[in-house]
Amino acid sequence: MFDTEGYSDHERVTWLHDAATGLRAVIAVHSSARGPAMGGCRLWCYPDPAAALADALRLSEGMSLKNAMADLPLGGGKAVILGPLPGGAGRAAAFRAFGRAIESMGGRYVTAEDVGVGVADMAEIAVETRHVSGVTAAGGVGGDPSPYTARGVLRGITAAARQALGRSDLDRLRVGVQGVGNVGGALARLLAEQGARLSVADIDPVRQARIADETGADIAGLEEVLTADLDVLAPCALGGAITAPVAATLRARIVAGAANNQLATPEAGEILHRRGVTYVPDYVANAGGIIAVGAEYLGQGSAATVLADVDAIGPRIAALLARSAAEATPPEVIADRMAREIIAAARGA
Ligand code: NAI
């Protein structure tokens, strides 16, 4: 495990197997220095358990950085469930078993939604433990994190368009959205409301057609969307969309989306920077969801303060991009440095 790709200085990694329900999962706690390690639960069909472990390690470290940059009193963790799960009662039972495992961690890890998992699954977990969020929007705070994530990404795109393109609005801005699931679909709707011209691509043809229909978007090919003639590319599917070859050939002036770990390698980010493509660091842009479900879990804030905190992603990104330009350094390098300093300070405290 200690040699696995993605392992850095994780505090605790747990493998779960519940024989009765068939649940197999990994819970990775990267850091609890700033508070309970919070991050979503992903359900995905991995090629093998090693791939699931690598994903959990990478995503949980990303949550530490994300939560630190968003100034939340939370550490970083993430869980992945190795799919597929059965449907109906079998799925509910597996999420109950997952909830019992979280409960056994005594609040060190707090879960919420991620890819492949929804509010109904969180409700099953909540039967077994209180260390879960994204369940209900009590008092208008929390529930499904996706709309908040989409709103924050929109603020990021707006800030980048101002800085990189001198745009004061998004009217007729050409945006390609790769992955139109919970977040990508919501983002597409918000962009359409602002007058953006959309191209969408999703491996799920039904979802793709529905969002295209709702937003007037063109449908692009899965590979084609990455290098299409666009102003903004918004990766909103899984991680690793921006490989070095994609970075070298994409035509968008801005890359800003919701997906975690968009850059397949650090080199991909360097290529974007060298080519003058503005990359909005993923975990800074996509913090809206954790801001909302974090407030739900911690019992802090009102609907208005949560929206204000999500909107603060815009100025945060503007400041980051300005610093990147002033220091001639890729924005993700600066963001990583800042986040690691915040975590190190908490560890030393
Ligand atoms: P989702 O599962 O609702 O949507 C993902 C979509 O991407 C699906 O429609 C799927 O068919 C599509 N997809 C998968 N592979 C693809 C490919 N190669 N090309 C095109 N489409 C593809 O997941 P959700 O919640 O929308 O998350 C999307 C991304 O945003 C993930 O990387 C997630 O980690 C990240 N994220 C989500 C947050 C949330 O609030 N849900 C918060 C922060 C990050």
Side-chain angles (χ1 to χ4, degrees):
M1 207 267 302
F2 300 109
D3 298 324
T4 303
E5 183 202 339
Y7 176 79
S8 63
D9 43 4
H10 289 72
E11 284 175 18
R12 182 180 293 202
V13 181
T14 305
W15 281 100
L16 304 176
H17 177 226
D18 183 69
T21 61
L23 172 75
R24 294 189 303 157
V26 184
I27 300 177
V29 170
H30 175 259
S31 168
S32 57
R34 287 176 50 82
M38 188 163 180
C41 165
R42 174 172 294 188
L43 169 59
W44 193 251
C45 296
Y46 293 94
D48 52 54
L53 175 63
D55 210 24
L57 292 173
R58 205 168 30 232
L59 288 164
S60 57
E61 183 177 17
M63 288 310 301
S64 289
L65 302 177
K66 182 187 305 193
N67 294 344
M69 279 300 271
D71 200 24
L72 297 170
L74 296 167
K78 197 93 181 183
V80 304
I81 294 179
L82 286 72
L85 289 181
R91 181 176 174 114
F95 276 98
R96 292 271 183 103
F98 183 61
R100 287 191 292 278
I102 292 174
E103 178 63 15
S104 76
M105 294 175 74
R108 183 180 281 260
Y109 169 67
V110 184
T111 201
E113 292 89 345
D114 191 60
V115 173
V117 173
V119 174
D121 303 315
M122 294 301 119
E124 295 295 344
I125 295 170
V127 173
E128 305 288 351
T129 182
R130 65 182 178 84
H131 303 300
V132 55
S133 197
V135 188
T136 46
V141 177
D144 178 8
S146 310
Y148 298 94
T149 305
R151 182 178 172 119
V153 173
L154 181 76
R155 297 287 176 263
I157 291 175
T158 307
R162 192 173 298 125
Q163 163 119 1
L165 309 174
R167 298 279 306 245
S168 57
D169 60 42
L170 305 185
D171 194 36
R172 292 170 189 274
L173 197 77
R174 296 164 306 160
V175 186
V177 184
Q178 186 208 35
V180 284
N182 291 325
V183 182
L187 177 66
R189 286 187 209 99
L190 292 174
L191 286 164
E193 280 169 18
Q194 307 261 331
R197 290 191 185 159
L198 300 174
S199 303
V200 296
D202 199 296
I203 50 172
D204 180 336
V206 176
R207 214 174 257 180
Q208 177 178 260
R210 192 180 65 229
I211 298 294
D213 209 38
E214 276 178 40
T215 61
D218 293 333
I219 291 179
L222 293 174
E223 297 299 320
E224 182 199 342
V225 72
L226 295 171
T227 51
D229 190 11
L230 300 165
D231 298 308
V232 180
L233 172 64
C236 296
L238 297 190
I242 312 298
T243 59
V246 167
T249 50
L250 63 75
R251 287 188 280 169
R253 301 275 310 279
I254 295 167
V255 176
N260 284 308
N261 303 320
Q262 287 166 39
L263 299 175
T265 58
E267 187 200 356
E270 286 156 21
I271 295 171
L272 292 180
H273 186 66
R274 236 182 0 253
R275 293 186 61 219
V277 178
T278 299
Y279 171 63
V280 175
D282 42 20
Y283 61 79
V284 187
N286 70 15
I290 195 75
I291 289 170
V293 296
E296 177 187 338
Y297 178 69
L298 296 166
Q300 289 173 356
S302 63
T305 59
V306 167
L307 289 183
D309 288 347
V310 174
D311 289 344
I313 289 173
R316 187 173 299 133
I317 285 169
L320 190 59
L321 296 180
R323 196 167 153 190
S324 163
E327 297 181 17
T329 304
E332 71 277 11
V333 173
I334 294 176
D336 272 23
R337 205 185 292 150
M338 289 169 71
R340 286 183 199 288
E341 279 171 14
I342 294 168
I343 296 163
R347 277 185 170 151

